[in-house]
Amino acid sequence: MKKVLITGITGQDGSYLADMLLEKGYKVYGMVRRSSVEKLDRIEHIRDKINFVQADLLDQLSIITIIKQVNPDEVYNLAAMSFVPTSWSQPVLTGEFTGIGVTRMLEAVRLVNKDIRFYQASSSEMFGKVKEIPQTENTPFHPRSPYGVAKVYGHYITVNYRESYDIFAASGILFNHESPRRGLEFVTKKVTNAVAKIKLGLLDYLYLGNMDSKRDWGFSKDYVEAMWLMLQQDKPDDFVIATGESHSVKEWVQASFECLGMDWEKYVKIDQKFIRPAEVDLLVGDSSKAQKVLGWKPKVNFDQLVKIMVEYDYNQLKKANNI
Ligand code: NAP
Ligand code: G4F
C-alpha cells in the first residue's frame, strides 16, 4: 500500500485529492495545523480514513518529524495562504507560508528520504501581467501580488531542489479551479452563493470589485487528477494545467444568475473595497504539454462548472433554511 502525505488536506484541493487517493488504495496522511476549533468540513465524509499528523508550514522541526514518522512515497504540498487580497494585508506571513514554507517541505524531504516524490502547488498568478497569450511552461513570470511573488519563489525552489539534489520534485502551474468546496471569499463561490441566496429571498444585493478581469476556470476534481499524474511519470517536470478557455468575472456572474432565471444587472453593485492594488487582467493557459505527456485533459467546461456550483449552493441553502 502506497503512503501519501497531503499538506492543505482541509482545503478545496486537498479534500478532492484525498478522495481520489483513497479510491486508488493509498494510505492517506493529512498534515493539519493546530486550531482551537476543528476545520474538517470538506473531509468530514472521509475523516475516519485519514491519518492526521500535526505540523505547521512555519515550523521546520514539526515538518521533519512528520515526514520521518510517515515516510511517504509521495508528498503533495498544497498548504498555503491562498487568498490574493490577504497577501497585501499580510505580505510577510504570505511569504513565510506560501514561499519559504515550500523550502521547509523540501528540506524535510532532502534530509529524511530523497526518494520521496514531491508535488508543489504552483499557480497561474505567477504570470500576472502576462507576457504572452496563452501562457505556457515557458512564459516569463510577472507576479502582481505578494501571493504571486511567493508562489514564484515556491516554484523556483522546487525546480532548484530537483536540479541540485536529484529529488523527484514536480511543479503544477494550475490555473483557477473551482468547485462546490471552494472557499466563500473567492469570486466564483461568492457569486454562486449570493445568486442562490437572492433566489431564496435571503439576500438583496451582491457587491463585487473588478468585473472585467478574465480567468481560465476549471473544476478542482479534474485538476487533482493532473497532480497525481505528474508524480507517476519517469521524470519530474513542470506542467501548465488549464482549460484553454477564458471568461470575464462579468460572464461568470451573468451565467450564474441565468442558471436560476434571473437578470444579474438588477442585483449586482460595485464596491471599491474589492478592487485590488494591482490586478491580473487576463489568464488563459495552454495545457498541451500536460495533454501530450500526462494524457490529461479537463472534463468539465465553463457552463457545466457554473451549473454544478449554482445548483449545489441553491440546494444546500434551501435545505439549511427549511425552504
Ligand atoms: P485552500 O482551500 O485555501 O486551502 C489551503 C490549505 O492550506 C488549507 O488546508 C489550510 O489549512 C492550509 N494551510 C494554510 N496555512 C497553513 C500552515 N501554516 N500550515 C499548515 N497548513 C496551512 O486552497 P486550495 O484552493 O485548495 O489550493 C491548494 C493549493 O493550490 C494552494 O497552495 C493554492 O495557493 C494553490 N493554487 C490554487 C489554485 C486554485 O484556483 N484553487 C490555483 C493555483 C494554485 P487550514 O484549514 O488550517 O486553514
Ligand atoms: O476568485 P479570486 O479571488 O481568485 P484569484 O485572485 O484569481 O486567485 C485564485 O486563483 C489563483 C490561480 O490563478 C490561485 F493561485 C489563488 O490561490 C486563488 O485560488 O478572484 C478572481 C478575479 C480577480 O480578478 C478579482 O479582482 O475576480 C475579481 N473579483 C471581482 N470582485 C473578485 C471580486 N474577487 C473576489 N475574491 N471577490 C470579489 O468580490
Side-chain angles (χ1 to χ4, degrees):
M1 194 186 237
K2 267 193 179 177
K3 287 182 287 181
V4 60
L5 174 69
I6 304 173
T7 77
I9 194 160
T10 55
Q12 170 187 254
D13 291 1
S15 67
Y16 284 117
L17 183 66
D19 284 342
M20 188 189 78
L21 295 180
L22 284 169
E23 270 170 38
K24 287 189 187 295
Y26 278 74
K27 183 160 189 185
V28 175
Y29 291 82
M31 181 181 115
V32 287
R33 53 179 166 168
R34 197 263 158 189
S35 166
S36 64
V37 281
E38 266 187 5
K39 290 184 283 185
L40 304 180
D41 312 17
R42 293 181 176 110
I43 46 174
E44 196 56 56
H45 59 294
I46 46 171
R47 69 181 289 165
D48 296 342
K49 298 183 183 136
I50 293 170
N51 303 278
F52 292 101
V53 283
Q54 208 174 83
D56 196 297
L57 285 177
L58 298 181
D59 191 286
Q60 180 72 71
L61 190 57
S62 68
I63 297 171
I64 295 172
T65 304
I66 61 162
I67 300 249
K68 255 192 193 153
Q69 182 192 328
V70 175
N71 196 21
D73 298 280
E74 297 169 10
V75 170
Y76 293 83
N77 184 38
L78 309 185
M81 199 306 288
S82 75
F83 189 49
V84 172
T86 300
S87 77
W88 276 286
S89 54
Q90 299 179 0
V92 176
L93 192 64
T94 302
E96 284 285 351
F97 281 2
T98 306
I100 307 288
V102 186
T103 313
R104 294 194 186 97
M105 291 299 301
L106 285 161
E107 273 292 271
V109 167
R110 181 180 74 83
L111 290 168
V112 176
N113 175 6
K114 285 204 286 178
D115 291 333
I116 294 170
R117 293 187 168 210
F118 182 84
Y119 172 85
Q120 169 56 16
S122 289
S123 163
S124 52
E125 270 290 305
M126 301 189 302
F127 297 121
K129 198 172 165 71
V130 300
K131 299 284 186 266
E132 61 179 348
I133 298 169
Q135 296 85 53
T136 73
E137 293 78 6
N138 300 318
T139 303
F141 299 138
H142 184 150
R144 295 273 280 168
S145 62
Y147 168 82
V149 173
K151 280 288 177 187
V152 171
Y153 175 88
H155 173 75
Y156 277 130
I157 201 70
T158 303
V159 173
N160 181 261
Y161 270 57
R162 180 199 304 160
E163 293 173 355
S164 305
Y165 303 114
D166 207 17
I167 288 173
F168 192 113
S171 177
I173 306 174
L174 272 53
F175 282 62
N176 298 51
H177 45 281
E178 319 295 315
S179 73
R181 297 185 196 168
R182 185 58 141 154
L184 247 184
E185 69 274 40
F186 297 92
V187 79
T188 52
K189 180 77 174 174
K190 181 175 171 180
V191 171
T192 57
N193 180 268
V195 164
K197 280 188 174 156
I198 291 170
K199 184 72 182 178
L200 292 166
L202 302 168
L203 185 74
D204 294 328
Y205 297 104
L206 163 63
Y207 293 89
L208 293 174
N210 177 17
M211 293 178 71
D212 295 324
S213 56
K214 290 185 161 182
R215 292 291 183 272
D216 179 332
W217 280 297
F219 185 34
S220 172
K221 225 172 157 177
D222 289 348
Y223 285 36
V224 300
E225 202 186 325
M227 296 176 188
W228 176 76
L229 285 167
M230 284 179 219
L231 294 200
Q232 314 312 310
Q233 303 305 305
D234 291 337
K235 53 184 186 57
D237 208 341
D238 309 323
F239 293 95
V240 159
I241 300 298
T243 69
E245 241 191 88
S246 192
H247 293 271
S248 66
V249 171
K250 196 179 284 167
E251 286 175 89
W252 181 276
V253 169
Q254 184 174 1
S256 302
F257 274 92
E258 272 173 9
C259 234
L260 294 183
M262 294 186 289
D263 174 6
W264 70 273
E265 289 183 272
K266 290 187 188 152
Y267 305 102
V268 177
K269 297 182 188 230
I270 301 299
D271 186 331
Q272 292 299 319
K273 79 173 179 221
F274 296 117
I275 305 280
R276 299 175 181 187
E279 181 60 278
V280 172
D281 295 321
L282 164 72
L283 290 175
V284 58
D286 174 353
S287 63
S288 41
K289 179 175 168 186
Q291 302 205 19
K292 189 166 158 238
V293 179
L294 307 177
W296 177 88
K297 63 173 195 276
K299 298 187 187 91
V300 172
N301 69 20
F302 178 82
D303 290 326
Q304 291 166 326
L305 183 59
V306 171
K307 192 166 183 287
I308 289 170
M309 290 177 66
V310 171
E311 284 180 356
Y312 177 86
D313 285 341
Y314 181 72
N315 291 330
Q316 285 294 111
L317 282 162
K318 211 171 145 184
K319 207 162 100 188
N321 292 283
N322 291 319
I323 300 174

